Amino acid sequence: MLSKGGLKSLLPHVLRRIIHCNRLSIGNTSGMAEGYKQANIVILHKSLADDFEKFCHANNGPLPLLYRSKPGDWKCPSLSSDSDIRTDCLQYRMYEYGAFTGSLKSLKEYSEQLKDMVTFYLGCSFSFEKAIQTAGIPIRNVEQKCNVSMYKTAVPCYSISTFCCNLVVTMRPIPESKLEAAVLATSELKEAHGAPIHMGDPGLLGIQDLSKPDCGDPVHLHPGDIPVFWACGVTGVEAVINCRSPLAFTHSPGCMFITDLKNDSVTVRSSREAPQVHCISQDPLHYSMVSAEAVRKIKTLESLIGIDPGNRGIIHLHCQDELLKACLSISHARSVLITTGFPTHYSYEPPEENDGPPGALATAAMLQALEKDVAIVTDQRAMDLNKKIIDEAVQLGILKRPVPLLSYQKESADSALMFLCENGNPGRPRFDHLIAIERAGMAADGNYYNARKVNIKHLVDPIDELFLAAQTIPGVATTGVGDGGNELGMGKVKDAVKKHIKNGEIIACDVEADFTVVAGVSNWGGYAIACALYILSTCEIHDRYLRKAVGFPQLLKKTVWLSALPSVTKEEKLLKALVKHGVRSGKTASLEMEVDGLPFYNTHSLMIEKLL
């Protein structure tokens, strides 16, 4: 019998002959025939073949189709010259009516049944192992002389007829410093599942315990390793089980068919199309993926809104790449809570300023277009005003439908947790991301101050508590957008506020957000978030990562997303509506077409045009 050590450099046809003769003492083909494509195998009755092919095309991340045979054809001439699918896998599995009924070394005894069956050859991640090694990245399961780990996830595939199942993934531990290299090494190898579909906490895929894979072997992480997950062809096996076909065969997980095709014909992306990896959360650990071009565009947005038209010193508050990280996090969220409202004009009714609501509604409009759940929380005393503004935004075509409007009051020590989570359970949050846009923020002394250091606490509900509670709930992130340092979420830059902003020692917000977006006018920050979310949604790399490489690209919805972007016309109409409701400019208390003392025309209108 031959051992695995000498099999790395053998040519595929030699390996197939050895497998055919049943002369191997190994349990998987990982690391064998380096640089050649390996394939998952699914063999079904011909009556199911068309639907299964559609299922593969609908979920081409886990099921990249290399070849479909004709009924009864045991060869695959485009993949190998001398193969016989009945004998050329290390081990097979047989399923009857969805039940696993045995492992087989050969299918020859079923040759008569196979005459009415079709074989599907599907890409395998073993094919990219050589590319990963060439990039200087260790393959831990090969080092540990074991099979790769495979896990069933909670991610549903796109169903076709009787074929429906959840995604199955492989996991490879990758050193954190090598994450981007691993993505670059695999992203163009689409017939070997392409780039990873998740990097970080396995719980985000519904995987409870890495030490207990559903197939394969546990692979141990070294210190500094990150679990990285690729779509896996064993997804096809799950689909076979669920369709309950009277008879079906598959390869045994890890026991692949080795083709004669090399993996060296890769089209290299231009640098601007290259994928980048960014950490968006530490608890749970979560990395996202996006193209270099999308990153460049979002950085441009951040630069545009970072100007200081009021000469307040906000340039000293700027945190680089916070807009990018915030929007990557928001992009992954299912449900978002927005808050706004700064009652700076305490002697007027209403006391609200007109910086904040337009940016909040622009963000909400894009979130609606992206089919995310979105709600707004504001002060109880301002509920009627905000309802009128929201209704008007719907009439003006800014929002597709009214946004649910909420208020928050502290009634007990766990009020914030009860508000944010079902029954106060941190494991069941109602919102994944909280966004504050020009929302009055609590200072170190527990009060709330406008820029002139007037205490307006009597007008402000303690919505800060929601942001503080979010810090204790894994998976809930927060973003603060501000232009002066006294806004909710600006606690992250409070030292700079105290040093560089007028009255900063008193007015600085003490409550931090995970991400701090600083803008010359806070509305601009809201517009930039909407634009950045549009950029991410139209990025093919990010779209694939979001949908875990199952289903179809979402780019067909681009027209809907485009119509949700802010525009000069929309924002002009909204500002007129705010003036009608008595909502004033922040700096001057004017009921004119201005925000923060800056004219809408030729200042705010120009900024909107630049952002678009």
Side-chain angles (χ1 to χ4, degrees), residues 35 127-137 139 181 185-186 189 263:
S127 305
F128 64 52
E129 290 179 336
K130 179 64 174 176
I132 287 183
Q133 288 176 319
T134 301
I137 302 164
I139 300 179
T186 59
L189 298 174
N263 264 323

Side-chain angles (χ1 to χ4, degrees), residues 307-308 311-318 342 353 355 438-439 441 449-452 480-491 493-494 496-509 516-523 596:
I307 62 171
D308 188 3
N311 294 315
R312 285 178 288 183
I314 65 162
I315 192 170
H316 300 288
L317 313 185
H318 180 70
F342 206 122
E353 64 166 296
D355 187 18
E438 189 66 18
R439 170 69 193 177
Y449 296 96
N450 66 14
R452 295 176 292 280
V481 179
D483 58 17
N486 56 345
E487 300 90 1
L488 177 53
M490 293 291 116
V493 293
K494 63 185 177 183
V497 173
K498 292 173 182 178
K499 184 175 181 181
H500 297 288
I501 302 296
K502 184 179 179 181
N503 300 323
E505 284 285 350
I506 295 172
I507 71 172
C509 176
T516 300
V517 178
V518 178
V521 177
S522 293
N523 281 341
D596 273 357

Side-chain angles (χ1 to χ4, degrees), residues 37 105 151 219 306 361 375 411 445 459 488 497 509 534 550 564 567:
K37 291 179 181 176
K105 284 289 187 181
Y151 304 90
V219 179
L361 293 177
E411 296 171 353
D445 63 2
L459 298 171
L488 177 53
V497 173
C509 176
Y534 173 80
V550 297
S567 70

Side-chain angles (χ1 to χ4, degrees), residues 243-259:
C243 88
R244 300 185 183 278
S245 166
L247 179 66
F249 301 99
T250 72
H251 69 292
S252 279
C255 300
M256 304 302 170
F257 174 83
I258 300 172
T259 78

Side-chain angles (χ1 to χ4, degrees), residues 19-64:
I19 291 170
H20 180 95
C21 297
N22 195 21
R23 293 177 57 205
L24 287 180
S25 60
I26 60 174
N28 65 82
T29 57
S30 175
M32 293 171 62
E34 281 187 341
Y36 287 89
K37 291 179 181 176
Q38 298 193 30
N40 299 271
I41 300 298
V42 171
I43 306 175
L44 294 164
H45 191 268
K46 61 187 179 183
S47 63
L48 297 169
D50 287 348
D51 281 342
F52 188 73
E53 181 172 348
K54 291 175 186 175
F55 182 71
C56 292
H57 291 314
N59 302 281
N60 65 2
L63 303 171

Side-chain angles (χ1 to χ4, degrees), residues 389 392 396 572-583:
I389 293 170
E392 199 123 15
L396 294 172
E572 179 185 26
K573 290 178 180 178
L574 182 58
L575 186 54
K576 286 180 178 177
L578 291 173
V579 170
K580 181 181 73 176
H581 290 297
V583 181

Side-chain angles (χ1 to χ4, degrees), residues 390-404:
I390 289 171
D391 289 344
E392 199 123 15
V394 174
Q395 293 171 18
L396 294 172
I398 294 168
L399 295 172
K400 286 197 300 184
R401 59 188 175 276
V403 177

